[in-house]
Amino acid sequence: MSLLSLDSVFGQVTYSIPEEMAKNSLVGNIAQDLGLESKRLISEYIELNRERGVLLVKERIDREVLCTETALCALDFQIILENPMEFYSVTVQITDINDNAPTFEKKEIQFKISESAVIGAKFVLERAVDLDVGNNGVQNYELKPTDNFALKLHNNADGNKNVAMVLQKPLDREKQEQISLVLTAVDGGEPQMSGTMLIVITVLDANDNAPVFTQPTYKATVTENSPKGTVVATVTASDADQGSNGKITYSITNTLENVRKMFEVNQENGEMSLTGNIDFEKSRHFEINVLASDEGGLTDSCKLIVDVIDVNDNKPEINIMSKSTVLSEDAKLNTVVTMINIEDLDSEENGIVKCFVKENIPFILKTSSNNFYSLVTDSDLDREIASQYNITVTCSDEGVPSLSSSVTLTLQISDVNDNAPVFERSSYEAYIVENNTPGLSIFTVKARDADWNQNARVSYILEDSSVNGVLVSSYVSVSADSGVIHAVRSFDYEQIKDFHFRVKAQDGGSPPLSSNVTVKIMIQDQNDNPPQVLYPVQTGGSVVAEMVPRAADVGYLVTKVVAVDVDSGQNAWLSYKLQKATDRALFEVGLQNGEIRTIRQVNDKDAVKQRLTVIVEDNGQPSRSAAVIVNVAVADSFPEVLSEFTDFTHDKEYNDNLTFYLVLALAVVSFLFITCVVVIISVKIYRWRQSRTLFHSNLPVIPYYPPRYSDTLGTGTLQHVYNYEVCRTTDSRKSDCKFGRAGSQNVLIMDPSSTGTMQRIQSEKSILDEPDSPLEQRDSPVPSPDWWVSGG
């Protein structure tokens, strides 16, 4: 409020308005009331409308805010008028309306009253406050409900009322521990307004009740092996009292140590928990005496019965009563190996045990009596299949989860000599090259015995038999320990190509077992024999000449060199080559068949006496060869041949003399090199033996024989006399031959004992008999042949 002091005051104006008028509400027409012109008005709650000259409510006016201490409330302000300046005081009185309800300072108050409080006890309550004044203020109080308390009012000198409540009925905390009352204050305004306060009364206890358990006997179960601290059960006692009078303490009164060591009770809440390790196998039932006490000394007791539930916590125990560690493989069926006893400390299903062994072993478990088992053989044993068994016996109970134990028994199977030695092969074949060194190891037979130790120790024995009437032991021997077969002698392929025998393998058991096997020895050929010429026969007593007519055409078959090789295979494959010839342009030799043919037309200029040197060579490595001299007479008649061959005697004499001197010189040289001579003689002896062997042996089939061959002498393997018949042709251009009968008079023998027209050439060598090349002397010397001439 603004205040302006002037020397003169012209008037006083008073208005009265109720509080809480709306904004811009009319307070009064100051201009009309004063008969003045409207001027400016300055006020906090009231403003002057200068155009209209009226007072208006500027903002909401709350009497209780403006006037908190007094019942009368007014606004005083001044109005200044100008031209001329005048001053007025204005008072606006604010009248109260019932806009405030009675209120209590606290919405809720609490009392704690003992249940032993006496009737008539008074409890002072708080008065309500109402900001309104007069009749709008607090006029009366009400208390509800009134079961235990009544309301008492007392008027003071200042007009206010004291409020109290009086106990008119005894309290019982056990029936009603807390009482809620509502104190209501009302005013006298229109409309009437009121306020409330909640009165909460807590009834304090008196120790007039003893603790009481909810039941005299409690039952509980606990699983064995439960951890320490596990709550088994909770005993509960109640005390109608409250506070210290109703505070209950629990305790165990058992005198037995097993209970006190195993259980403890929570003194405050009665929880019974474990303090030790509970074991069903030691104690299955407990009785616990529990006492409940309040602080006033009142008590009650109960009994807690605890049953222990079995847990499958014990594995079956396997006790071996007796056992065998070694069993013979020929043990009979149902032979007892081991006796075992089973124990399980658990009960019911947890203690029911079944035992078994794994499958696929020749043993089973048999129940002999309660919790006793026998391990027996179920099938035949064979140490060669399994020499040791690790038998695992597993025993499981029927608990959930199931527990099991196992024990492993080691059983050795002892050997019985029930297996004979078995050779690695059903039969053996071995190869050895001829001319071997005696004592040479050929190969090894091997037999195995599935038994063990002495029963498996194999010895090898050569069974008695004969080869071509000779004991096999003179051919081979066998090592008793190793089975190595050695050659006793040097083998000759040309004498024996193969032979067989039997070797027995015998073990060291008692009685011993054995088996045998057939061994076949194949002799492999070496190229140790040179070719042998069968035809033409080379003898020292006579000369044979093949006669070729001068009219012979190209390809005319003169003769055929026939040779054999007692070796085999490629060592016996022969090839023929013409080494020397009087006229190489006239004759040729077939490489494979040894046929000597003309390669051109025979003419009158060709010499009657033709000498051919043919080399016969095998295909061995290294190759061996033999040489043969073929004498050919180119003539149309015997007289012509005889005239040409009369010089043979002189040539032969000369050749013999030359040979004599050469042999003499060789003997002198050989004497100086005696060592070389011994070697040469040894080689000669060896070859001589070979030739003798061939001489007495059956020769292979000769691929070609001369026509009308006959054995006239009947002595020896290689015949020294042949009947040779002239091949007479009807056409000189063709090589077809017409042969006469065997034993015809066309064969002429040039021999001193004959009485024919031809004289035997003396023993002196002809010049035709001289060797033409070193090849003729390489393997076998060319003998001086007896000459035979066949004519027409």
Side-chain angles (χ1 to χ4, degrees):
M1 178 182 294
S2 61
L3 178 62
L4 179 61
S5 299
L6 297 176
D7 293 338
S8 59
V9 178
F10 294 96
Q12 177 72 36
V13 179
T14 300
Y15 295 98
S16 178
I17 61 173
E19 64 175 334
E20 304 293 343
M21 290 183 65
K23 185 178 180 179
N24 295 325
S25 296
L26 179 63
V27 176
N29 194 331
I30 186 65
Q32 181 179 352
D33 291 340
L34 294 179
L36 301 174
E37 297 179 357
S38 59
K39 298 293 181 181
R40 185 178 180 183
L41 174 64
I42 301 174
S43 175
E44 183 176 359
Y45 292 98
I46 306 297
E47 67 177 354
L48 175 64
N49 191 313
R50 298 178 63 184
E51 287 77 11
R52 297 170 53 195
V54 295
L55 295 176
L56 302 174
V57 176
K58 183 178 180 181
E59 61 182 31
R60 174 181 171 273
I61 299 174
D62 189 350
R63 189 198 68 81
E64 288 75 28
V65 175
L66 290 176
C67 307
T68 58
E69 299 292 335
T70 62
L72 297 176
C73 183
L75 291 175
D76 296 322
F77 55 89
Q78 292 78 34
I79 297 177
I80 299 174
L81 302 177
E82 297 178 351
N83 297 322
M85 181 177 294
E86 295 179 354
F87 176 79
Y88 291 94
S89 294
V90 179
T91 300
V92 178
Q93 294 183 352
I94 307 301
T95 60
D96 183 47
I97 63 174
N98 192 22
D99 58 344
N100 291 282
T103 59
F104 290 94
E105 183 179 359
K106 297 179 180 178
K107 295 297 181 181
E108 178 183 329
I109 62 174
Q110 295 182 353
F111 289 95
K112 293 184 178 181
I113 304 173
S114 174
E115 63 177 336
S116 60
V118 297
I119 296 175
K122 184 173 66 173
F123 304 94
V124 178
L125 302 178
E126 179 185 348
R127 291 181 297 179
V129 176
D130 194 333
L131 297 180
D132 294 326
V133 295
N135 196 43
N136 293 331
V138 176
Q139 299 299 317
N140 201 4
Y141 291 90
E142 294 179 355
L143 182 65
K144 292 181 180 180
T146 58
D147 295 339
N148 296 94
F149 294 92
L151 186 63
K152 183 177 181 180
L153 301 177
H154 177 71
N155 293 323
N156 293 333
D158 58 0
N160 293 325
K161 295 177 177 151
N162 292 331
V163 182
M165 62 180 183
V166 179
L167 180 63
Q168 61 181 6
K169 183 179 178 180
L171 299 176
D172 188 351
R173 191 201 64 78
E174 286 73 33
K175 292 182 178 180
Q176 188 174 9
E177 183 180 357
Q178 191 175 69
I179 301 173
S180 295
L181 303 176
V182 177
L183 178 63
T184 302
V186 295
D187 59 18
E190 288 294 338
Q192 190 180 51
M193 303 183 72
S194 63
T196 60
M197 179 179 65
L198 178 63
I199 301 172
V200 178
I201 299 173
T202 302
V203 181
L204 300 178
D205 183 50
N207 192 21
D208 56 348
N209 294 281
V212 177
F213 279 101
T214 56
Q215 56 192 66
T217 302
Y218 293 86
K219 291 186 177 182
T221 59
V222 62
T223 303
E224 70 168 325
N225 301 328
S226 295
K228 294 180 180 180
T230 299
V231 177
V232 177
T234 300
V235 295
T236 303
S238 61
D239 193 322
D241 297 326
Q242 191 179 30
S244 60
N245 296 326
K247 185 177 181 181
I248 299 174
T249 301
Y250 300 92
S251 61
I252 296 175
T253 61
N254 290 67
T255 58
L256 297 178
E257 287 294 326
N258 64 334
V259 174
R260 290 182 176 273
K261 289 182 179 180
M262 199 64 64
F263 298 93
E264 69 176 1
V265 65
N266 189 305
Q267 295 181 356
E268 296 181 357
N269 57 24
E271 289 184 349
M272 193 70 64
S273 59
L274 293 175
T275 58
N277 296 322
I278 194 164
D279 190 350
F280 174 84
E281 287 70 39
K282 293 181 179 180
S283 299
R284 302 185 180 187
H285 179 81
F286 293 92
E287 290 187 2
I288 306 172
N289 297 321
V290 184
L291 182 68
S293 305
D294 64 14
E295 292 189 356
L298 301 179
T299 62
D300 191 15
S301 64
C302 73
K303 181 180 290 185
L304 173 61
I305 299 175
V306 179
D307 291 324
V308 181
I309 299 175
D310 182 38
V311 171
N312 192 22
D313 59 341
N314 291 282
K315 294 181 179 180
E317 295 182 4
I318 304 175
N319 301 313
I320 299 176
M321 309 300 293
S322 64
K323 67 176 181 178
S324 300
T325 57
V326 178
L327 186 65
S328 176
E329 66 174 322
D330 61 351
K332 296 181 179 179
L333 295 181
N334 295 320
T335 299
V336 177
V337 178
T338 301
M339 293 284 295
I340 60 176
N341 172 249
I342 311 300
E343 291 183 4
D344 195 319
L345 298 177
D346 295 320
S347 63
E348 297 179 353
E349 289 81 2
N350 296 334
I352 300 175
V353 180
K354 292 183 179 179
C355 298
F356 58 91
V357 294
K358 66 179 182 179
E359 298 178 355
N360 300 325
I361 61 173
F363 303 93
I364 59 172
L365 279 175
K366 288 187 176 181
T367 304
S368 56
S369 62
N370 188 24
N371 293 333
F372 281 88
Y373 288 87
S374 298
L375 180 67
V376 300
T377 56
D378 183 48
S379 59
D380 294 332
L381 303 178
D382 190 347
R383 191 208 66 83
E384 289 68 45
I385 296 177
S387 61
Q388 175 179 299
Y389 289 94
N390 293 321
I391 307 170
T392 300
V393 179
T394 303
C395 297
S396 303
D397 57 31
E398 295 185 359
V400 179
S402 176
L403 297 180
S404 63
S405 299
S406 61
V407 63
T408 299
L409 307 173
T410 300
L411 182 64
Q412 300 287 342
I413 307 301
S414 62
D415 185 45
V416 173
N417 190 26
D418 56 348
N419 290 279
V422 177
F423 283 96
E424 293 178 345
R425 301 179 187 175
S426 59
S427 62
Y428 291 88
E429 284 189 1
Y431 295 86
I432 183 171
V433 180
E434 66 172 329
N435 304 318
N436 58 284
T437 303
L440 177 68
S441 172
I442 302 176
F443 79 110
T444 302
V445 293
K446 193 70 175 178
R448 300 185 183 276
D449 195 313
D451 293 322
W452 182 74
N453 206 358
Q454 185 67 26
N455 294 332
R457 187 169 299 167
V458 179
S459 298
Y460 301 93
I461 303 169
L462 182 65
E463 290 190 349
D464 292 335
S465 61
S466 61
V467 178
N468 296 331
V470 180
L471 289 178
V472 71
S473 57
S474 64
Y475 284 84
V476 292
S477 66
V478 60
S479 174
D481 295 329
S482 62
V484 178
I485 296 178
H486 298 273
V488 175
R489 61 167 61 178
S490 178
F491 296 110
D492 187 353
Y493 176 83
E494 286 70 39
Q495 289 184 352
I496 182 170
K497 294 179 173 53
D498 63 73
F499 63 95
H500 63 271
F501 56 91
R502 297 178 71 82
V503 176
K504 180 171 69 174
Q506 179 174 288
D507 62 25
S510 180
L513 301 178
S514 64
S515 62
N516 49 42
V517 69
T518 299
V519 180
K520 186 175 183 180
I521 303 297
M522 313 289 290
I523 312 300
Q524 290 183 322
D525 183 46
Q526 272 190 332
N527 193 24
D528 58 343
N529 292 283
Q532 295 184 4
V533 179
L534 300 181
Y535 185 84
V537 177
Q538 307 288 291
T539 64
S542 62
V543 177
V544 177
E546 305 293 340
M547 192 171 72
V548 177
R550 292 188 179 275
D553 201 354
V554 177
Y556 178 83
L557 177 62
V558 178
T559 186
K560 181 174 183 178
V561 177
V562 179
V564 294
D565 195 322
V566 294
D567 294 322
S568 66
Q570 66 179 7
N571 295 331
W573 296 352
L574 302 181
S575 59
Y576 302 85
K577 298 178 183 178
L578 181 62
Q579 184 187 31
K580 272 187 176 184
T582 304
D583 188 352
R584 297 186 68 90
L586 181 58
F587 302 101
E588 67 175 359
V589 178
L591 180 64
Q592 302 298 332
N593 54 24
E595 293 179 350
I596 301 176
R597 295 178 180 271
T598 58
I599 57 177
R600 66 175 175 79
Q601 183 75 39
V602 178
N603 54 47
D604 296 336
K605 295 181 180 181
D606 291 325
V608 174
K609 184 171 58 178
Q610 299 283 338
R611 184 180 184 185
L612 308 177
T613 302
V614 178
I615 297 297
V616 183
E617 188 175 27
D618 61 26
N619 197 38
Q621 293 294 331
S623 64
R624 291 177 179 270
S625 62
V628 60
I629 296 176
V630 179
N631 292 295
V632 179
V634 179
D636 291 326
S637 62
F638 284 111
E640 185 180 357
V641 173
L642 291 176
S643 64
E644 290 293 334
F645 282 86
T646 53
D647 298 334
F648 281 7
T649 302
H650 302 288
D651 293 339
K652 187 173 184 64
E653 291 176 352
Y654 172 80
N655 192 39
D656 289 342
N657 292 333
L658 179 61
T659 301
F660 172 78
Y661 292 115
L662 289 175
V663 172
L664 180 62
L666 180 61
V668 174
V669 174
S670 298
F671 180 79
L672 298 176
F673 299 95
I674 188 64
T675 303
C676 296
V677 172
V678 172
V679 173
I680 293 173
I681 292 175
S682 299
V683 172
K684 293 296 183 179
I685 292 174
Y686 175 77
R687 290 183 176 177
W688 177 79
R689 287 180 176 178
Q690 290 294 325
S691 64
R692 293 290 295 174
T693 300
L694 179 62
F695 183 82
H696 292 288
S697 63
N698 294 325
L699 291 175
V701 177
I702 301 172
Y704 175 81
Y705 288 98
R708 300 299 183 181
Y709 167 82
S710 64
D711 188 358
T712 57
L713 298 180
T715 60
T717 302
L718 298 177
Q719 307 303 326
H720 296 282
V721 178
Y722 288 85
N723 291 333
Y724 185 78
E725 296 175 349
V726 175
C727 295
R728 295 171 294 179
T729 63
T730 56
D731 188 350
S732 61
R733 291 287 180 176
K734 298 180 180 178
S735 59
D736 295 336
C737 299
K738 291 185 178 180
F739 300 100
R741 295 194 312 273
S744 66
Q745 299 302 319
N746 295 331
V747 178
L748 298 181
I749 302 174
M750 295 166 55
D751 193 280
S753 61
S754 64
T755 58
T757 58
M758 294 184 65
Q759 300 296 324
R760 180 176 183 266
I761 299 176
Q762 302 300 319
S763 60
E764 292 86 4
K765 289 189 177 181
S766 170
I767 194 170
L768 294 174
D769 297 326
E770 295 179 2
D772 294 293
S773 69
L775 289 175
E776 299 180 16
Q777 304 173 356
R778 179 170 54 180
D779 293 302
S780 61
V782 180
S784 299
D786 292 335
W787 283 84
W788 290 58
V789 179
S790 60

